[in-house]
């Protein structure tokens, strides 16, 4: 069952699970996935926590204790989510040690309501790093305009970061620049750069969902022939940008100081259109030094019938650029698409967080001890 996952891992792709729940931790499932399915990291986001906690498995006792202490709903969510991340980080610690800190990591996101507030994002990132208190944590910061200086500031303090919600090639370059600026600050402050890690989460499937919708609206045979190509083209050109930035003179100076490259992470790799093969965004995005974070269904599909045939990004840049240019020639604005996707991404995570606040508040009220 795991031959394809092993081949993927052997190609230099770190396989991370895009899911976490207390049940997955306490049942031994996470440990089993690490042992049998080549999982070397875990990512979370507000939607994942909202789903896990609203299903309730394993949270009743902690919620009861929090209700008895009369904590605020915001504090309750922080206590619950950081507990899960801490426990998952402990399970992944052997991987962290074996890979010298590159993998074995668990990501936790800053409150999505802070996505457009730089200082608050920095303060929240510091608080989360302190609360989880594990060296193998990544703090997730969205790649909004306000998020970019926050990334520099947080990296500059020696806190490892997972930059999330990247859709555009221009924004990705800004993210890499923010990371390098953060490393330069950390170096000036005398910090050990070898201990600072980062990944840049470049979202994939949502690009196809939005551009395919617009190609359908154009409706010509030429437009239909381009369906299902934009997301891969976009990601492949992101890898080209990664190769350029991390072979620059600016990087060379940091590399001498033992800094780590910021790896591209393929996010949103679950296929949304049933017309496409369910392993599309795994099989066709294989390159060394990348991370692919998969929902469980995609992980299982890859284990069962993934077609890992070596590096599927090398040599594709010219074709990828031609495909995005062909989409633009049909009147579909790349800039409009990627900005819409970033805005929607922030809004979706914020909506999930508010749902989580509301459902947790209801549970705290239900479990609160009666007065008297």
């Amino acid at each position: 069952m795991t031959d394809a996952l092993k081949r993927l891992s052997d190609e230099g792709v770190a396989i991370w699970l895009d899911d976490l729940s207390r049940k997955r931790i306490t049942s031994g499932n996470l440990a089993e996935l690490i042992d049998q399915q080549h999982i070397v990291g875990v990512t979370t986001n507000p939607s994942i926590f909202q789903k896990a906690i609203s299903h309730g498995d394993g949270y009743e006792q902690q919620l009861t204790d929090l209700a008895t202490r009369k904590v605020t709903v915001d504090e309750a969510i922080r206590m619950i989510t950081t507990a899960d991340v801490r426990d998952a980080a402990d399970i992944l610690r052997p991987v962290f040690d074996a890979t010298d800190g590159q993998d074995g990591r668990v990501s936790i996101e800053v409150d999505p309501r802070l996505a457009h507030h730089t200082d608050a994002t920095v303060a929240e990132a510091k608080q989360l790093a302190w609360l989880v208190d594990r060296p193998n944590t990544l703090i997730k910061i969205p790649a909004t305009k306000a998020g970019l200086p926050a990334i520099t500031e947080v990296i500059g303090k020696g806190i490892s970061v997972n930059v999330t919600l990247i859709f555009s090639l221009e924004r990705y370059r800004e993210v890499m620049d923010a990371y390098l600026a953060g490393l330069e600050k950390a170096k000036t402050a005398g910090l050990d750069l070898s201990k600072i890690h980062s990944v840049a989460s470049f979202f994939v499937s949502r690009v196809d969902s939005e551009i395919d919708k617009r190609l359908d609206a154009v409706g010509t045979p030429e437009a239909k022939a381009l369906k299902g190509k934009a997301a891969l083209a976009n990601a492949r050109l992101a890898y080209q940008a990664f190769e350029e930035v991390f072979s620059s003179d600016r990087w060379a100076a940091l590399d001498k100081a033992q800094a780590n490259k910021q790896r591209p992470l393929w996010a949103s790799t679950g296929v949304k259109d049933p017309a496409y093969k369910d392993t599309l965004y795994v099989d066709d995005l294989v390159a060394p030094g990348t991370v692919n974070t998969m929902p469980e269904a995609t992980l299982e599909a890859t284990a069962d019938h993934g077609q890992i045939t070596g590096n599927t990004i090398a040599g594709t840049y010219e074709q990828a650029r031609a495909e995005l240019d062909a989409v633009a020639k049909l009147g579909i604005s790349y800039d409009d698409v990627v900005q819409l996707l970033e805005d929607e991404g922030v809004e979706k995570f914020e909506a999930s967080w508010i749902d989580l606040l509301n459902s947790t508040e209801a549970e705290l009220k239900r479990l609160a001890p009666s007065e008297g």
Side-chain angles (χ1 to χ4, degrees):
M1 274 290 281
T2 59
D3 281 354
L5 293 173
K6 183 179 186 305
R7 286 197 298 277
L8 187 63
S9 182
D10 288 345
E11 288 292 336
V13 180
I15 305 167
W16 291 7
L17 178 69
D18 193 28
D19 191 55
L20 187 63
S21 67
R22 190 154 298 177
K23 186 176 183 182
R24 198 182 281 287
I25 291 164
T26 57
S27 68
N29 173 262
L30 178 57
E32 187 179 291
L33 290 173
I34 295 164
D35 185 49
Q36 298 178 14
Q37 302 282 62
H38 303 277
I39 291 293
V40 294
V42 168
T43 48
T44 68
N45 62 45
S47 300
I48 284 169
F49 277 129
Q50 192 274 331
K51 182 180 166 192
I53 296 169
S54 64
H55 285 178
D57 288 338
Y59 296 99
E60 183 100 355
Q61 185 57 59
Q62 189 177 11
L63 280 164
T64 301
D65 291 344
L66 292 165
T68 303
R69 288 175 50 214
K70 298 182 179 176
V71 304
T72 65
V73 65
D74 285 275
E75 186 185 348
I77 288 169
R78 277 288 162 250
M79 293 298 104
I80 291 166
T81 57
T82 55
D84 280 359
V85 168
R86 191 180 306 114
D87 288 345
D90 288 344
I91 293 168
L92 278 154
R93 184 60 190 259
V95 177
F96 174 81
D97 292 337
T99 60
D100 200 23
Q102 179 154 268
D103 289 308
R105 291 183 173 269
V106 187
S107 299
I108 184 169
E109 190 143 354
V110 296
D111 185 331
R113 295 171 296 178
L114 307 178
H116 302 297
H117 305 281
T118 302
D119 291 346
T121 294
V122 172
E124 171 93 344
K126 286 158 62 180
Q127 171 76 355
L128 282 173
W130 176 82
L131 265 176
V132 177
D133 193 27
R134 294 294 184 272
N136 51 331
T137 311
L138 289 169
I139 307 301
K140 287 180 92 171
I141 297 176
T144 56
K145 278 291 184 189
L148 294 170
I151 292 157
T152 296
E153 192 68 23
V154 172
I155 290 289
K157 292 182 185 303
I159 297 170
S160 294
V161 173
N162 175 343
V163 184
T164 186
L165 290 175
I166 308 170
F167 296 94
S168 85
L169 294 165
E170 181 186 0
R171 183 57 54 83
Y172 178 44
R173 286 185 179 274
E174 291 174 335
V175 164
M176 290 188 283
D177 181 71
Y179 175 60
L180 297 186
L183 288 176
E184 287 158 354
K185 282 187 81 159
K187 185 181 174 188
T188 301
L191 299 182
D192 180 355
L193 300 194
S194 72
K195 303 293 186 196
I196 304 171
H197 287 258
S198 184
V199 293
S201 296
F202 202 86
F203 279 53
V204 185
S205 66
R206 293 186 197 180
V207 173
D208 270 343
S209 297
E210 184 59 33
I211 288 182
D212 283 359
K213 188 167 65 178
R214 298 182 187 209
L215 290 168
D216 279 335
V218 173
T220 62
E222 185 186 15
K224 297 214 181 257
L226 287 167
K227 285 183 68 178
K229 293 186 174 173
L232 289 174
N234 199 38
R236 287 166 169 174
L237 292 173
Y239 191 78
Q240 181 184 34
F242 160 75
E243 289 185 313
E244 285 173 12
V245 169
F246 289 98
S247 59
S248 66
D249 290 343
R250 185 183 182 190
W251 169 249
L254 290 163
D255 188 37
K256 275 184 191 161
Q258 308 299 308
N260 297 291
K261 290 179 181 178
Q262 181 187 55
R263 289 181 293 170
L265 178 152
W266 311 128
S268 184
T269 56
V271 172
K272 306 280 194 289
D273 189 333
Y276 303 148
K277 64 177 180 177
D278 53 4
T279 59
L280 177 66
Y281 305 125
V282 179
D283 297 350
D284 291 19
L285 288 175
V286 177
T290 59
V291 180
N292 196 309
T293 184
M294 308 180 202
E296 190 164 26
T298 305
L299 180 74
E300 289 175 353
T302 304
D304 184 60
H305 53 265
Q307 297 175 337
I308 310 303
T309 57
N311 189 326
T312 48
I313 293 182
T316 64
Y317 302 147
E318 200 174 316
Q319 182 190 352
R321 174 49 60 198
E323 285 167 349
L324 287 189
D325 286 347
V327 169
K329 280 178 188 157
L330 294 172
I332 295 168
S333 166
Y334 176 85
D335 290 343
D336 182 63
V337 166
V338 293
Q339 189 59 56
L340 174 74
L341 291 172
E342 180 187 304
D343 293 343
E344 283 183 351
V346 172
E347 286 165 13
K348 282 176 185 171
F349 282 168
E350 192 171 325
S352 292
W353 197 254
I354 290 166
D355 284 347
L356 178 54
L357 285 167
N358 291 337
S359 58
T360 303
E361 189 169 39
E363 281 296 282
L364 290 171
K365 283 179 180 168
R366 181 178 72 82
L367 295 167
S370 55
E371 297 295 333

